[in-house]
Amino acid sequence: MQIIDSIQAMKSLVREVRSKGQTIGFVPTMGYLHQGHLTLMRTAKEKCNFVVASIFVNPLQFGVGEDFEEYPRDLGRDSKLAEEAGVDVIFAPTVKEMYPKGYSTFVEEERITDKLCGESRPGHFKGVTTVVTKLFNIVQPDLAFFGQKDAQQSLVLKKMVKDLNMNLEIQVLPTVREEDGLAMSSRNSYLNSSERQSALLLSKSLNMAQNLIEAGERRVAEIKKAIHKLITQDTLARIDYVEILSLPDLEEVEFLEGSSLIAMAVFIGNTRLIDNLVVEV
Amino acid sequence: MQIIDSIQAMKSLVREVRSKGQTIGFVPTMGYLHQGHLTLMRTAKEKCNFVVASIFVNPLQFGVGEDFEEYPRDLGRDSKLAEEAGVDVIFAPTVKEMYPKGYSTFVEEERITDKLCGESRPGHFKGVTTVVTKLFNIVQPDLAFFGQKDAQQSLVLKKMVKDLNMNLEIQVLPTVREEDGLAMSSRNSYLNSSERQSALLLSKSLNMAQNLIEAGERRVAEIKKAIHKLITQDTLARIDYVEILSLPDLEEVEFLEGSSLIAMAVFIGNTRLIDNLVVEV
């Protein structure tokens, strides 16, 4: 497996792969890989001839005071895991390679980025859509793979691909969880052991919501109230948001109908975790 | 020559052309073709196997109260001229095809779009970069051709292609002029005969500026003053802007040094015309 840090070298390799008629699968990541990422990579390898994974902690999608500096990085460990998962090339550019001095062009989705994580993290999705556009142009994949854990991200990127007529398809794979239900995330590494226990509140409250809905509850306010109640019992937990919105347009609803997203961001200590559940009624 | 109005059909054709190993040249236009456009098309045909020209009056790049509705349109005439110039396909989508209901993704260059035409026409370049990104994704050209008459547009698009790592090269060809010096523009069709005479002030004042510079003038303020003086002698003319900026960053300068752009926008009656000159000292 190759590790490439230059855009030009990555583009040359892509040209070579394409000229052989091979399909390209792409898994963009910020590294510190977990089973969620590795599942995306294995699936990419099943569906495409050639798999590129990018590892790039994108400063543009971090706000002031967020964890850009502390975000865990371990390229040695990541390359070993990626290779085992079937990745053919890791693209790991520097910040300067991606955003040279004078960089000034941005891509922005303006309709579904002002809620949920977009509301809590202004500019976050502008950073995501910009870097992903660049990566798509560099890697030129047929398929790009994302995890359902970042539900809003997938919706925003699908909208971007459709609106800008990009030549690829986005595939979203289910959230991969630890045995006890915690959604896998590189940020879980920030948690100490008591926080790790409290972090279960996210998946537990989603399970509870699902049970309520299966028992017939359709009132969004009641479901949100029950989730709030469960999470706020724990003094380590502080809710950033709990929302239930329609899919795929992320509009507010009073009663569940059709396809909806229950999404939450919760600080456990200083660590902000997200989780979500798609419900169909 | 084919005329295609569907994005999907255009993409299919591009796939077919690409699969034969042919190169694609692209000339994006708003139609009502003149010799400037036709020179771009003939050059595209010399340099590439297959030439696509788009004809799309892009509502996104027109401001409120501008001439989107009145902009001249004549697809019959345009297709005849384009075919003679060697164009293989005209892509002429409807507004609804390009911006369906709920459209929400935009591309924006944020550094050199706040001056010159960007200052006079807020949102104009965001409309340009967005539509051109879409067109580039649909047509997937190797080379795209633009005219020097829209000097700032070319600079913005080159910056966008570089920043977003797009897989094509932008070529800028010299402004094509009428025999008396007027820069060709679809908007010249708005001019009545006395306005047509006054419109010569733009190229005349650029020639005068060039003469001053050849005679040794380096003071930007003096050159601008002379241009203002010449243009404001005519009561039909109203200056929108006259600027002299460094290239390629469009920064203000006090004295000419290296490569500079003398750019102007002048209303002749109700018609806003632009022209420019690149000077090297």
Side-chain angles (χ1 to χ4, degrees):
Chain A
M1 189 192 63
Q2 261 184 286
I3 301 180
I4 291 179
D5 60 6
S6 120
I7 292 171
Q8 212 189 318
M10 190 65 232
K11 283 198 175 195
S12 299
L13 180 60
V14 164
R15 249 195 311 277
E16 195 188 312
V17 170
R18 285 233 158 273
S19 73
K20 289 188 235 158
Q22 297 196 321
T23 56
I24 299 178
F26 180 42
V27 183
T29 83
M30 299 207 301
Y32 214 71
L33 304 178
H34 52 64
Q35 283 303 323
H37 299 115
L38 300 173
T39 304
L40 300 179
M41 292 168 187
R42 283 188 290 262
T43 309
K45 192 62 186 181
E46 277 165 26
K47 300 201 174 182
C48 301
N49 305 125
F50 193 87
V51 175
V52 180
S54 64
I55 295 184
F56 180 62
V57 185
N58 175 32
L60 219 58
Q61 70 191 72
F62 287 80
V64 174
E66 287 188 354
D67 58 341
F68 173 68
E69 298 295 339
E70 305 89 73
Y71 200 87
R73 293 159 169 92
D74 189 342
L75 187 56
R77 174 182 169 280
D78 284 349
S79 10
K80 200 164 163 294
L81 292 169
E83 183 160 25
E84 286 165 10
V87 167
D88 296 286
V89 178
I90 286 183
F91 178 55
T94 61
V95 171
K96 204 177 156 194
E97 177 77 357
M98 290 292 275
Y99 304 115
K101 192 168 173 297
Y103 186 91
S104 59
T105 310
F106 302 90
V107 179
E108 197 163 12
E109 196 288 329
E110 298 186 357
R111 194 148 149 270
I112 55 172
T113 51
D114 58 345
K115 0 202 149 183
L116 306 178
C117 288
E119 192 174 353
S120 307
R121 308 180 68 188
H124 169 67
F125 285 113
K126 182 177 177 180
V128 171
T129 43
T130 299
V131 80
V132 171
T133 295
K134 285 172 64 71
L135 291 169
F136 283 174
N137 283 333
I138 295 164
V139 175
Q140 298 169 64
D142 298 281
L143 298 179
F145 297 84
F146 294 86
Q148 173 62 22
K149 206 209 66 180
D150 300 298
Q152 189 179 10
Q153 175 177 275
S154 297
L155 292 169
V156 169
L157 292 175
K158 278 185 171 179
K159 189 69 169 68
M160 174 185 85
V161 164
K162 185 181 166 219
D163 280 354
L164 295 183
N165 311 108
M166 293 177 173
N167 298 290
L168 64 105
E169 192 190 305
I170 286 188
Q171 300 218 342
V172 181
L173 301 190
T175 303
V176 177
R177 298 178 181 280
E178 303 286 353
E179 275 193 20
D180 59 7
L182 179 67
M184 297 223 179
S185 165
S186 307
R187 289 190 171 96
N188 292 346
S189 66
Y190 296 148
L191 303 169
N192 66 29
S193 64
S194 56
E195 289 169 343
R196 173 66 182 75
Q197 197 53 37
S198 298
L200 290 177
L201 282 169
L202 285 86
S203 53
K204 274 185 187 161
S205 64
L206 289 171
N207 288 339
M208 182 204 59
Q210 183 146 45
N211 291 338
L212 286 174
I213 293 160
E214 279 168 12
E217 184 61 82
R218 295 290 179 271
R219 294 166 299 177
V220 162
E222 291 303 313
I223 302 167
K224 283 168 70 171
K225 204 198 288 179
I227 294 173
H228 268 266
K229 196 175 162 195
L230 181 65
I231 294 176
T232 52
Q233 278 170 8
D234 190 314
T235 53
L236 284 178
R238 180 168 60 80
I239 291 174
D240 180 15
Y241 67 76
V242 172
E243 292 293 349
I244 303 181
L245 301 173
S246 69
L247 281 174
D249 291 336
L250 299 184
E251 276 162 15
E252 291 198 18
V253 286
E254 212 173 323
F255 298 97
L256 293 183
E257 206 196 319
S259 187
S260 311
L261 179 73
I262 308 183
M264 59 179 64
V266 180
F267 283 94
I268 303 293
N270 292 318
T271 303
R272 185 176 175 280
L273 300 178
I274 59 174
D275 204 348
N276 69 86
L277 176 72
V278 174
V279 287
E280 311 277 349
V281 298
Chain B
M1 188 190 66
Q2 261 184 287
I3 302 180
I4 291 179
D5 60 5
S6 122
I7 291 171
Q8 214 189 316
M10 189 67 232
K11 283 198 175 194
S12 298
L13 179 61
V14 164
R15 249 194 312 277
E16 195 188 312
V17 170
R18 284 232 160 273
S19 73
K20 289 188 235 160
Q22 296 196 321
T23 55
I24 298 177
F26 180 41
V27 183
T29 82
M30 299 208 300
Y32 214 70
L33 305 177
H34 52 63
Q35 284 302 324
H37 299 116
L38 299 174
T39 303
L40 300 179
M41 292 169 186
R42 283 189 289 262
T43 309
K45 191 62 186 179
E46 277 165 27
K47 300 201 175 181
C48 300
N49 305 124
F50 193 87
V51 175
V52 180
S54 63
I55 295 184
F56 180 63
V57 185
N58 174 33
L60 220 58
Q61 71 191 69
F62 287 80
V64 174
E66 287 187 356
D67 58 343
F68 173 67
E69 297 295 340
E70 304 88 72
Y71 200 88
R73 292 158 169 93
D74 189 343
L75 187 56
R77 174 181 169 279
D78 285 349
S79 8
K80 198 164 165 293
L81 292 169
E83 183 160 25
E84 286 165 11
V87 168
D88 295 287
V89 179
I90 287 184
F91 178 55
T94 61
V95 170
K96 204 176 156 193
E97 177 77 358
M98 291 293 274
Y99 305 115
K101 194 169 174 294
Y103 186 91
S104 58
T105 310
F106 303 90
V107 179
E108 197 163 12
E109 197 287 329
E110 298 186 357
R111 194 148 147 270
I112 55 173
T113 51
D114 59 345
K115 2 201 146 180
L116 305 179
C117 289
E119 193 175 352
S120 309
R121 307 180 68 189
H124 169 68
F125 285 114
K126 182 177 177 182
V128 171
T129 44
T130 299
V131 79
V132 170
T133 295
K134 285 171 65 71
L135 290 169
F136 283 174
N137 284 333
I138 295 164
V139 175
Q140 298 170 63
D142 299 280
L143 298 178
F145 298 84
F146 294 86
Q148 173 62 23
K149 206 211 65 182
D150 299 299
Q152 189 179 11
Q153 173 176 278
S154 297
L155 292 169
V156 169
L157 292 175
K158 278 186 170 179
K159 189 68 168 64
M160 173 185 85
V161 164
K162 185 179 167 223
D163 280 353
L164 295 182
N165 311 110
M166 292 177 173
N167 298 290
L168 63 106
E169 192 191 303
I170 285 187
Q171 301 217 341
V172 181
L173 301 191
T175 302
V176 177
R177 298 179 181 279
E178 304 286 353
E179 274 194 19
D180 59 7
L182 179 66
M184 297 226 180
S185 165
S186 307
R187 288 191 173 96
N188 292 347
S189 66
Y190 297 147
L191 302 170
N192 65 30
S193 65
S194 56
E195 288 169 344
R196 174 67 183 73
Q197 196 53 37
S198 298
L200 290 177
L201 281 169
L202 285 87
S203 54
K204 273 185 189 161
S205 64
L206 289 170
N207 287 339
M208 180 203 61
Q210 184 147 44
N211 290 337
L212 286 172
I213 294 161
E214 279 167 13
E217 183 62 81
R218 295 291 179 269
R219 295 167 299 176
V220 163
E222 291 304 314
I223 303 168
K224 281 167 71 170
K225 203 197 291 177
I227 294 173
H228 268 266
K229 196 174 161 196
L230 181 64
I231 294 177
T232 52
Q233 278 171 7
D234 191 315
T235 54
L236 284 177
R238 180 168 60 81
I239 290 174
D240 180 15
Y241 67 77
V242 172
E243 292 292 349
I244 302 181
L245 301 173
S246 69
L247 280 174
D249 292 335
L250 298 184
E251 276 162 15
E252 290 196 18
V253 287
E254 212 173 324
F255 298 97
L256 292 183
E257 205 195 321
S259 187
S260 310
L261 179 73
I262 309 183
M264 60 179 65
V266 179
F267 282 94
I268 303 294
N270 292 318
T271 302
R272 185 175 174 280
L273 299 177
I274 60 174
D275 203 348
N276 69 85
L277 176 72
V278 174
V279 288
E280 311 277 349
V281 297

